[in-house]
Amino acid sequence: MTMSLPFVVTTSVEKPDLEARKLIRSHVMLGKNLGKIMTRRPGKQKQHVDAGQRLGNIPPKVGSDLSTIRLADAVEPYKIDVILRFSSIAKQALYPLHSCILFEKKEETWIEPLASDPAYLNAMIFTTLDYFETLRHCDQSSVSQRTLPHCLRTIQLLRRRLLQESDKALTTPTIATILALAAHAHFVSDFKSAEYHLGGLRKIVNLKGGVATFNDNAKLLVEILRCDVGMSLNSGSRPFFFDNSSSREPFLPFPDLKLLLKSMLSSSTAEVKYNPEILLYDVDQDLAAAWIVMAEFCQVINRTAESQHRITTETFLLTMASVIYRLLDMTKFKANSTEEAIRLGLLAFSSSVFLQWKQLGLSYNYLATTYRERLAESRCQNVPPRLLLWLLVVGAVSVFGCEDEKWLRPRLRANIDSIGGLKSWTDVQDVLKSFMWIGLVLDEPGLEVFDSAMTGDSTHSAALTLGPCEI
C-alpha cells in the first residue's frame, strides 16, 4: 500500500520522473548497487502521469527506460517505473499540508536502496502495487496475488538480515522496510501483524539510541510516528512511542510557534494572538496547553497558505508529536465531561491536519466510535452551542462516515439554529475560526457538510462518504 511510500519518498511534483532515474543511474555508475541487469521491453513509450490525475488511473504496467540499471533483485522494470511515478505525487496524495511544508530533498535515502537493498526493493514494490490494486478493485482485505511473491520475499530477506546480518539491522533501509510492512498490515486491517512490526520497529529505534538519533532524518521519524498514531486512533491500542504508561520516554517539547508567527508578520511589533474562547470553559491545564499550540499552528499554516513561506519538516514533526501523544495520554477525564469532548475533538482535528488516511479509504474506527458516543445528544447538554458546532463539524470532516449522516445532519441543523444568526457558510466559518480552523484543508469538506445539514440532501455529503474508490 502506498501508505509506506511517504516513509521514503520526498520527490517534488515539479521534478519529472527523469530526475529520479538519473539519480539511480548515477548510483549505478558509482558501483553502489548489486543485482541483475534488466533488459528493455521493446515498443513501450514513457507515459507521464500528472499529479492532478486520479491515482487509480495509473496503469498497472507502464513503459520504462531502465535497461541499464542494476537493481538489488530480479524484478520487472515496469514495477520500478510505478514506484518512481508515484513518487512525483506522493506528497500531494499523502500530506494535507504538502504545499506548506519544506521537505528537504534526500533522494539518496530512498533511491539508493532500490539498487542495493533487496528487502527494501521488494517492500516498495508490493506496497506500491497493492495500493493501486486497492484503488482499482476497492478491495482492502489482503495482499494481491500479483504482489504476494514480493511480500513473502521481503519478509524472508528481512528475517535473514535480522538473524544473520546484525550490522544492517539498524540502517535506514531496514527501518523503512519494517515500516512498510507495518503500514501495509494496518491498511489491510491486519492489526495483529501491524502491532508486531511496530513493536519490532520500536526495539530498533531503542537500539539506535531513541528518537533523538533521527535529527538528520526528520521525514523518516514523521512517518514512523504517523504510522504509530494512525494505529492507535484506529484500533484503540496504546502507541509504541511516547507512551508514559510503559516507558520513560519524555514527550517532545512544544514548538515555539509564537516566535515563528512573529517572523511571518509584516510588522515585527504585531502581537501574536489566538482566540482564547476555549479557555473560558475552565479546561484542564494540560489540555489547554495542547489546544493553544494547535491554535497557533493553525495560524501559522493559514498565513503560510497566503504567502510564499513554508514550515520546516521539524516544525511539522514537533507540533504533531507533542500535541497528539499528549492527547492520547490524557485518560483522566470523565466520559461525559466537556474536557473529554474537547480532547477527542482535538484528536479528530489533528488527524485531518497531520494524517490523510481517511482520504485513502482508511478509517479511525476507535476514535470515531468513542467520539460518536461522546457527542450523543444526552451527553452534550452541558457543552456550549458554539463549541458543539465546532466539535460536530470537525467530526464530520475528519472521522465520521456515511453511516453517521442520519443522526449528524439533523444535529448540525438544530445546533446551527440554536446559535442564531448563522445564515450562511461564511457565518459558520466565523464560529469555527473562533476556535481553530485551517481553510486550506477543511473549507471544502466543511462547506459540503454545511450544505448537507441545511438542505438535508445527501448529495452534498461527500465529505462524510469518501472511500478508497472515490479518491
Side-chain angles (χ1 to χ4, degrees), residues 414-425:
N415 177 250
I416 290 172
D417 291 342
S418 72
I419 295 174
L422 305 182
K423 303 299 183 181
S424 66
W425 166 239

Side-chain angles (χ1 to χ4, degrees), residues 73-306:
D73 211 354
V75 299
E76 297 93 330
Y78 83 86
K79 295 177 180 177
I80 306 302
D81 197 57
V82 171
I83 293 176
L84 296 178
R85 288 178 181 276
F86 184 78
S87 74
S88 68
I89 56 174
K91 287 190 299 185
Q92 289 84 340
L94 300 166
Y95 278 86
L97 304 178
H98 69 89
S99 63
C100 299
I101 306 171
L102 180 62
F103 291 105
E104 293 185 10
K105 294 183 178 181
K106 291 180 177 287
E107 285 88 351
E108 67 276 8
T109 65
W110 68 272
I111 293 177
E112 284 191 37
L114 294 175
S116 62
D117 192 306
Y120 175 90
L121 171 64
N122 281 274
M124 293 302 100
I125 290 173
F126 93 80
T127 53
T128 306
L129 294 181
D130 257 8
Y131 172 70
F132 292 126
E133 286 289 324
T134 297
L135 290 185
R136 279 191 292 272
H137 304 298
C138 304
D139 181 7
Q140 197 173 296
S141 60
S142 63
V143 178
S144 71
Q145 290 302 308
R146 187 159 68 110
T147 61
L148 180 60
H150 291 289
C151 178
L152 297 177
R153 176 76 169 150
T154 300
I155 295 173
Q156 176 191 45
L157 291 169
L158 188 59
R159 182 178 293 120
R160 181 188 306 166
R161 175 178 305 173
L162 295 177
L163 290 175
Q164 302 175 9
E165 304 173 20
S166 58
D167 58 318
K168 295 183 179 180
L170 305 184
T171 62
T172 294
T174 298
I175 293 173
T177 300
I178 298 173
L179 194 51
L181 290 171
H184 183 273
H186 181 196
F187 187 62
V188 298
S189 300
D190 183 0
F191 298 133
K192 183 177 181 180
S193 294
E195 289 187 2
Y196 176 81
H197 293 309
L198 272 172
L201 191 59
R202 169 78 262 193
K203 293 178 181 178
I204 288 178
V205 171
N206 286 344
L207 290 172
K208 279 180 64 68
V211 296
T213 60
F214 288 81
N215 286 336
D216 62 341
N217 198 344
K219 180 67 162 53
L220 181 59
L221 182 56
V222 164
E223 295 310 330
I224 292 173
L225 300 184
R226 290 211 318 167
C227 185
D228 186 37
V229 166
M231 269 291 298
S232 184
L233 296 180
N234 196 355
S235 68
S237 59
R238 296 295 302 176
F240 283 90
F241 294 86
F242 306 110
D243 181 12
N244 280 347
S245 67
S246 60
S247 71
R248 297 180 180 178
E249 186 173 52
F251 292 123
L252 291 182
F254 287 130
D256 187 353
L257 298 176
K258 287 186 176 67
L259 183 62
L260 180 58
L261 271 170
K262 286 182 178 179
S263 70
M264 298 172 69
L265 295 174
S266 56
S267 171
S268 60
T269 60
E271 182 181 358
V272 177
K273 298 180 180 179
Y274 62 90
N275 193 304
E277 179 168 346
I278 193 67
L279 302 183
L280 299 177
Y281 306 130
D282 192 28
V283 300
D284 173 83
Q285 184 177 357
D286 293 333
L287 182 59
W291 178 280
I292 291 171
V293 170
M294 274 305 297
E296 292 173 347
F297 183 76
C298 290
Q299 288 190 66
V300 168
I301 294 300
N302 289 332
R303 287 189 174 275
T304 299
E306 299 170 354

Side-chain angles (χ1 to χ4, degrees), residues 345-375:
L346 271 177
L347 279 174
F349 185 88
S350 298
S351 74
S352 66
V353 172
F354 298 115
L355 310 176
Q356 191 151 324
W357 292 23
K358 180 181 179 181
Q359 307 302 321
L360 297 176
L362 286 175
S363 60
Y364 308 96
N365 290 327
Y366 177 79
L367 175 59
T369 299
T370 306
Y371 198 23
R372 186 184 302 114
E373 292 173 353
R374 177 61 191 87
L375 292 181

